[in-house]
Amino acid sequence: MMKYFERWLPVIGLLVLFSGPVQAESAVPFTESVVIFNTVCAKCHEAECSGRLSFDDCYEVSRNHIIRHYGAAADKLWLQRELYSILNYTKEQCAYYPMDMAIPATKVWSGEVLQRMSTIPKRNYFVPVGILAPGQFRIELEMDENVRVTVHLMSEKFDMVVEDCLEPTEKSLHIPVTITEPGDYYFRLYPRRPVRINRLAIVEDGEADH
């Protein structure tokens, strides 16, 4: 029995050595990292496909680049590594990094769920809205305040369908959308000042408001 234990002791030691917070060791970037990348980093890196300007095999260069452009990652090694992974995925796949978030069948999101897909403290939002077929839709937004916002709706491959700067009326917005190509779509919002979204809905044209 002792010999059997001794044989496995190095393996046990490695498991102990590399154990720790799941966030720090996860091979899959957390929602927080994907939202940060796709609201901050994506401003420059969207559509940089096929490895152009890739940081493959050069993590240190990537790390310095990340810290220079997103200082909040300076003391978060896990975030630096995750942003690095997302950057390379975006360049190689020419697509947004998939998010491990359930998409409601109704395509209606509550404020509590949306909070997990926003950055702190600026309240930039990045939300996967799932498959949309060709047709007419509305984006419905309910907010805490009347704050001017920039709203995007884009496909997985960065095709922009909606790109508007809008002022809410009575803390809400209804934005018409025409989808011409079926596919996975994402919603993004940049507010002029931090604001909470209490409800987001993607509604087929002709449906009654919820």
Side-chain angles (χ1 to χ4, degrees), residues 127-130 132 153-156 161 179 181-187:
V127 182
V129 300
L132 295 178
L153 184 73
M154 54 273 183
S155 75
E156 178 188 21
V161 178
I179 300 295
E181 295 291 334
D184 266 324
Y185 284 83
Y186 293 84
F187 168 85

Side-chain angles (χ1 to χ4, degrees), residues 119-188:
T119 61
I120 302 296
K122 291 188 176 181
R123 288 292 182 194
N124 298 328
Y125 285 81
F126 188 83
V127 182
V129 300
I131 300 293
L132 295 178
Q136 302 297 318
F137 296 84
R138 289 192 316 276
I139 299 172
E140 297 180 358
L141 283 173
E142 295 176 6
M143 305 156 65
D144 268 356
E145 302 178 63
N146 286 325
V147 175
R148 193 167 185 83
V149 295
T150 298
V151 175
H152 294 162
L153 184 73
M154 54 273 183
S155 75
E156 178 188 21
K157 297 294 186 178
F158 314 129
D159 296 317
M160 195 70 69
V161 178
V162 173
E163 186 176 14
D164 280 322
C165 186
L166 302 165
E167 188 81 44
T169 301
E170 297 181 353
K171 304 178 184 179
S172 68
L173 284 170
H174 286 192
I175 307 163
V177 178
T178 300
I179 300 295
T180 59
E181 295 291 334
D184 266 324
Y185 284 83
Y186 293 84
F187 168 85
R188 180 165 58 198

